[in-house]
Structure formats: C-alpha cells, structure tokens
Amino acid sequence: MNQPALPLLYAQHLARDRRRSAHTVRAYGATAERLVAFLQKHWGGPVTRDALGKASAADLRAYLAHRREDGLTNASAARELSAVRGFLKFAVGEDAELPRLKGPRVKKGVPRPIAPHEAVALAETVSEEAREPWLAARDWAVLLLLYGAGLRIGEAVGLTGAVLPLGATMAVTGKRDKTRIVPLLPQVRDAIEAYARQCPYGVSRDAPLFRGAKGGPMPPGVIRKSIRAARTALGLSDRTTPHALRHSFATHLLGRGADLRALQELLGHASLSSTQIYTAVDAAHLLDVYRNAHPRA
C-alpha cells in the first residue's frame, strides 16, 4: 500500500497533533501541495523527505517568486513562507536547520471597528432580509454573539445545544480546542433563546445550535454573504465583516477601561501581543474624535 503524500500527512498532523483550526489545516495543506508540485518541476524529480532536507534558500525564493506571479501581496507571501517553514519542519524534523530566508516586510494593519449603532443596524438589516422568521432570529442571535460576546464566526456557528439553558456566562471552544468563559449580555441571551424557541429542527445537546435552512450545520459563509449585502445597503465600508464585529467588541471594551489581560481572556488570544493591537485601535479612535471635535484640530 502506498504511503499518503507528504502534504496530506502534514494536514493530518496539523489537525490531530497541533489541533489547528479547519481553516488553518486547509490553507497550510494547500501551501504544502503547491510547494511539492513546484519543486517536482523545479528539480525534475520526486520530492521526498530527504530531498526536502536539502532544499536551499534559492529554491524557496524561486517558489515565492512563482507564487508572486499569482498576485500575492506581502502579507500573503509572508503567510505562505510561514506555512512552507512549518511543512519543512514537519517533513525533515523539528531540529533540522532550515534555509535562512527573510520574509517580505509587512505593515501591521490596525483593525477597523464599526460604531455601536452601525453594528446594530447591520444585524437588523441581515435579519430583516432573512426568508423566514426563524432564520431572522438565527442571524440576529449569531451577529449579537460576534458583537456582544466577541466570538469568532467559527466559534459561534460551532456551538451546540449543550450551551442551553443559558446563564450569565457561556463556555466557548476556540482555536486549538482551548475553552474560555465569556459573559453574556441579557440581549444576547434573549436573542439565542428566541431563536431556540423558533428553530423548526429543535435543539439537542449533541447537535449544532445554529442550523442551516435545510437543517444541517449553519455554514459560516451564510453570515458572510448576508453581511456583504447588508453593508452595501447601509453604505458601510467593505471592511465591515463578521470579524469586524469582534474587533468592535474589543475596541469598545478597551475604550471603557477594560484591562488588556482581561480582554485577552475574553477574546481567547494565546498571546498578549495579539490583544495589544487594540490599544492602537483605541488611540486611532481618540485621534479621530479629537480631529472632528476640537476647534483647533
């Protein structure tokens, strides 16, 4: 029996051993496949673990140049290089010395939060466009979880009926299967309970809480598509995405005096450095307020 290809083994390793998200597994697995396909042509021979152990910086630069032809930005190229390094470490061993290759310089972007009234208007518009009342209740509940509890879209649609009955807090499983406790505002609890009462498929502990129109798990793409339509109708920026609602949750909490460490716990960030970006967001917001309101600005 043939051994599975290295990119497939790598994807299995990420999912099973590293507990990476499904999105990360797909993205990194795809990079591994692209790298192997490129090196087969580049070297004119099979790409084995031994061959990968002899890959040079010139080989990797050639691969990145090849990917740049597809229109990769600096940020995308940096992510691609990170995935390549992870694959090589897996293929040739964690202790192996990889080729030294400096990644492209990436300007760190600051998340763009949206105002509270815009978040509410967005949620209302999405729910109003739903085909049936129970779908409207579902979309309203999901969007309130993003803005009112700071959940990632994947975390929200990944909830099961086991979260019911709701209390003042809820356990959420995030990246790398880490569980955190998030507080629930009364409005968020009410929205989830209203949806659960209307859902025609019922709610059971082991089944997805949020259902698709045909009863299966709710695909995250449904919310993304609805938000795209709603932001166009409201004249909001194309940066208004499901993740922008999470950014807004964090920024508005920080603006009201939330501690960075507490915010890190609420967001489920593994590193405080991931949370510190919101200090820049808040500073930018204060500067905007100053420029718009101060007579000498």
Side-chain angles (χ1 to χ4, degrees), residues 134 138 154-164 195-196 199 201-212 215-219:
W134 78 271
R138 178 201 67 185
E155 292 170 346
V157 301
L159 293 172
T160 68
V163 300
L164 300 176
Y195 156 73
C199 180
Y201 301 103
V203 178
S204 59
R205 290 187 60 82
D206 298 327
L209 174 62
F210 296 111
R211 304 292 192 109
M218 179 186 183

Side-chain angles (χ1 to χ4, degrees), residues 15-233:
R16 182 186 62 243
D17 304 325
R18 302 297 297 276
R19 296 184 176 181
R20 294 300 179 92
S21 70
H23 174 76
T24 298
V25 171
R26 283 195 301 271
Y28 278 43
T31 293
E33 289 177 359
R34 285 192 294 265
L35 177 66
V36 168
F38 171 81
L39 290 177
Q40 280 178 336
K41 292 182 179 179
H42 188 61
W43 290 339
V47 178
T48 63
R49 289 181 186 270
D50 288 342
L52 288 171
K54 298 173 185 174
S56 66
D59 292 327
L60 300 189
R61 275 195 292 269
Y63 171 70
L64 286 180
H66 167 71
R67 291 289 289 131
R68 285 286 201 175
E69 293 173 3
D70 295 332
L72 254 64
T73 62
N74 277 4
S76 296
R79 284 193 295 269
E80 190 88 350
L81 182 57
S82 175
V84 165
R85 285 173 173 148
F87 174 58
L88 291 178
K89 284 256 181 205
F90 165 78
V92 303
E94 288 290 330
D95 298 328
E97 187 171 342
L98 299 182
R100 293 182 179 274
L101 185 63
K102 192 174 181 180
R105 181 171 294 181
V106 180
K107 185 178 179 181
K108 197 161 187 177
V110 174
R112 296 288 182 87
I114 61 176
H117 72 275
E118 292 174 334
V120 173
L122 189 73
E124 287 176 343
T125 302
V126 168
S127 62
E128 286 169 1
E129 292 299 316
R131 298 194 305 271
E132 298 179 41
W134 78 271
L135 291 174
R138 178 201 67 185
D139 294 350
W140 175 255
V142 169
L143 290 176
L144 285 196
L145 274 170
L146 305 188
Y147 177 63
L151 269 62
R152 302 176 178 93
I153 182 66
E155 292 170 346
V157 301
L159 293 172
T160 68
V163 300
L164 300 176
L166 296 171
T169 61
M170 181 171 66
V172 176
T173 301
K175 289 185 175 181
R176 304 188 188 184
D177 285 342
K178 289 186 176 180
T179 299
R180 68 185 188 277
I181 303 298
V182 298
L184 288 180
L185 295 169
Q187 299 94 318
V188 179
R189 286 201 304 272
D190 292 346
I192 296 172
E193 289 167 351
Y195 156 73
R197 288 194 298 271
Q198 296 178 57
C199 180
Y201 301 103
V203 178
S204 59
R205 290 187 60 82
D206 298 327
L209 174 62
F210 296 111
R211 304 292 192 109
K214 296 182 180 179
M218 179 186 183
V222 169
I223 284 292
R224 294 191 180 102
K225 183 178 179 181
S226 297
I227 284 183
R228 283 197 296 270
R231 77 189 179 207
T232 300

